[in-house]
Amino acid sequence: MEQVKGIFAVLRREIKIITSDVNIKSVLLFAPLFYAFFYSTVYINKVENKLPVAIVDYDNTITSQKLSSDLNVHQMIDIVQHLPSYEEAKELLERNKIQGFIVIDKGFENDLKQIKGTKIKVYLNTTRFLVSNDINKAINEVIGAKAVEYRKNYYRTQGYSYEQSKQLSEPVQLDMRPLYNTTESYGDFMLPGLLALILHQTLLIGLAESIAKEREYNILHQLYAVSNNNTFAALIGKISFYFILFCAYATFFYIVNFNLFAINLIGSIPLLIFLTLLYLLAIIFMSVFIASFFKRKILSLQVFAFTSIPFLLISGYSYPSSAFLEPMNIIGNLLPSTPYLTAQIRLTQMGANFNEILPEIIHLVIFVVIGFFAAYYRMNFLFKPHKQNTIIN
């Protein structure tokens, strides 16, 4: 009973610390919602449309003009200019006025009429790989459809029926069906991970600042006294508000943000809740342990504020971990965001079941268990001088 009273006393004390500290309050109460909507809005359109492309048509025939028209119809491409020369198109590309240009050589129509092979040259700004890939894919789709159409017409002129012409023109047909992320949207891929990272970083920074503040202001003895001289009560009471608050944020993100930005959530909701609870606990205990080594609040903020992008990159979420050097994978596996992001995307976007994400769940459970004991014994060590004073008194 005394332990329970100590937990609630520390919880009330923690709420007072948060509400009286502008830095901690802004990180915990404003940053999660601001970043969740700010970053999500960047990807609100999900897919890119009407990317600016130019055409250099040296052939200038009905066939080349029809090809240009067909390209412009594609939702990914916007033919913004028809230019007279390669040099002018290259200049616009270098000035970033267009993202690519297509060159149709002289004799294009004549080669097609004579059933000869012909080339269409495509120049892309590959410094933006997503844009260049989308343009390249769109051009290939249009050119591929036109090539099939020309082959069909050729076989029809040779006396074949429509069905025979169709089979001869496409002897091997590609039936490509994207699973899960059916629109192949970069936004649908990035947003779940970004929301998880926002939870991770704001919780990590906010709690770390509070722990570091205890040491900076030499008020650890107050924390120990309020907990009725009980390390367990001090630890649980200290983290309780953060756990409750970020459970609420996680619920809000998965209900409001996922619906507002039309992100799929096709897996088990209870399983997602369980996974997220483990994730939050792992972050909390890690934060308590690491932050307990800082003696200044500003130093903990400076250190943890610069971990957002490294944590995302090293998790293997934005770039496959199979391409990392082995030491990087080892470091990544020491972060709770790595198993959580892997399991979260499979659960929310692919409908994975418990067994399919069991390795990640075990990984997080290990984080929670080790993190709890590390945080407990670290806090117990910091309380030692105050324990001795209590015994003497």
Side-chain angles (χ1 to χ4, degrees):
M1 191 63 184
E2 287 297 317
Q3 194 174 70
V4 174
K5 288 182 179 178
I7 290 173
F8 279 101
V10 174
L11 173 60
R12 289 191 294 270
R13 174 181 179 272
E14 189 63 25
I15 292 173
K16 290 180 181 178
I17 288 175
I18 293 169
T19 53
S20 62
D21 191 304
V22 175
N23 293 330
I24 299 176
K25 184 164 58 178
S26 61
V27 170
L28 293 177
L29 302 182
F30 305 123
L33 294 176
F34 172 77
Y35 285 120
F37 285 99
F38 176 78
Y39 284 128
S40 297
T41 304
V42 173
Y43 299 102
I44 195 168
N45 291 323
K46 300 291 187 68
V47 294
E48 296 170 306
N49 290 305
K50 293 299 178 184
L51 298 167
V53 174
I55 284 188
V56 179
D57 186 359
Y58 289 121
D59 198 45
N60 197 26
T61 57
I62 294 175
T63 303
S64 64
Q65 291 171 7
K66 179 65 168 61
L67 176 61
S68 174
S69 177
D70 290 341
L71 286 166
N72 198 39
V73 168
H74 197 287
Q75 65 175 10
M76 285 287 183
I77 297 176
D78 182 19
I79 305 298
V80 293
Q81 290 196 58
H82 288 77
L83 299 170
S85 69
Y86 164 86
E87 288 73 19
E88 290 187 43
K90 185 181 177 184
E91 182 183 352
L92 286 181
L93 187 67
E94 292 172 346
R95 289 166 50 198
N96 210 33
K97 298 296 183 181
I98 55 175
Q99 294 303 316
F101 64 93
I102 302 162
V103 176
I104 303 174
D105 287 330
K106 184 71 176 174
F108 173 73
E109 183 181 68
N110 188 55
D111 287 343
L112 288 176
K113 287 180 177 179
Q114 295 182 33
I115 320 299
K116 292 182 180 179
T118 187
K119 291 182 181 179
I120 294 174
K121 299 172 186 175
V122 179
Y123 299 85
L124 300 172
N125 177 8
T126 51
T127 57
R128 298 179 60 191
F129 70 98
L130 286 175
V131 174
S132 62
N133 283 347
D134 286 340
I135 295 175
N136 190 45
K137 179 183 175 183
I139 292 173
N140 280 317
E141 287 175 356
V142 175
I143 298 299
K146 296 297 291 183
V148 170
E149 180 185 327
Y150 291 135
R151 285 196 293 269
K152 284 180 184 177
N153 291 337
Y154 168 74
Y155 286 119
R156 291 295 299 278
T157 62
Q158 300 302 306
Y160 291 97
S161 67
Y162 175 80
E163 285 301 322
Q164 289 174 324
S165 300
K166 183 178 179 181
Q167 291 177 5
L168 287 169
S169 61
E170 284 189 287
V172 179
Q173 295 185 18
L174 177 65
D175 185 5
M176 187 174 69
R177 305 185 185 188
L179 299 176
Y180 313 118
N181 186 358
T182 55
T183 61
E184 300 179 77
S185 159
Y186 192 66
D188 280 339
F189 165 70
M190 284 300 298
L191 284 176
L194 282 174
L195 292 174
L197 188 66
I198 289 166
L199 286 175
H200 185 287
Q201 287 304 102
T202 50
L203 172 54
L204 184 68
I205 293 171
L207 181 53
E209 281 197 283
S210 178
I211 296 293
K213 183 176 182 177
E214 301 278 3
R215 300 197 67 190
E216 181 176 358
Y217 288 83
N218 295 316
I219 52 176
L220 275 173
H221 65 282
Q222 295 179 8
L223 173 61
Y224 189 61
V226 170
S227 68
N228 292 324
N229 304 324
N230 186 296
T231 303
F232 178 81
L235 176 61
I236 300 303
K238 184 78 175 175
I239 69 173
S240 293
F241 178 78
Y242 299 88
F243 182 67
I244 295 168
L245 177 64
F246 277 82
C247 281
Y249 279 141
T251 302
F252 182 85
F253 289 172
Y254 284 118
I255 292 176
V256 176
N257 289 66
F258 268 56
N259 279 291
L260 182 62
F261 297 100
I263 306 169
N264 286 332
L265 205 170
I266 59 179
S268 166
I269 300 298
L271 185 55
L272 179 61
I273 292 171
F274 175 64
L275 184 72
T276 304
L277 293 180
L278 289 177
Y279 179 54
L280 295 177
L281 286 172
I283 298 168
I284 285 171
F285 292 132
M286 181 182 76
S287 179
V288 171
F289 177 73
I290 296 175
S292 66
F293 291 94
F294 291 100
K295 293 185 178 181
R296 293 182 60 200
K297 188 177 67 169
I298 186 64
L299 185 58
S300 70
L301 173 62
Q302 290 171 336
V303 170
F304 288 118
F306 291 101
T307 59
S308 300
I309 294 178
F311 280 7
L312 179 65
L313 293 175
I314 207 170
S315 69
Y317 187 83
S318 61
Y319 189 75
S321 57
S322 58
F324 291 166
L325 296 174
E326 192 55 32
M328 301 302 288
N329 281 321
I330 294 172
I331 295 172
N333 286 325
L334 296 176
L335 302 172
S337 55
T338 299
Y340 181 75
L341 288 173
T342 301
Q344 183 228 37
I345 197 70
R346 294 173 64 196
L347 178 59
T348 62
Q349 306 304 304
M350 302 171 68
N353 58 36
F354 180 83
N355 289 330
E356 290 167 334
I357 61 171
L358 183 57
E360 287 75 26
I361 290 175
I362 293 173
H363 198 160
L364 285 171
V365 169
I366 292 172
F367 266 123
V368 172
V369 173
I370 294 177
F372 168 76
F373 284 107
Y376 176 83
Y377 285 111
R378 176 60 182 166
M379 294 301 290
N380 200 47
F381 174 80
L382 293 176
F383 287 147
K384 271 187 179 179
H386 311 300
K387 286 183 178 182
Q388 293 170 357
N389 292 337
T390 302
I391 293 172
I392 293 172
N393 291 335

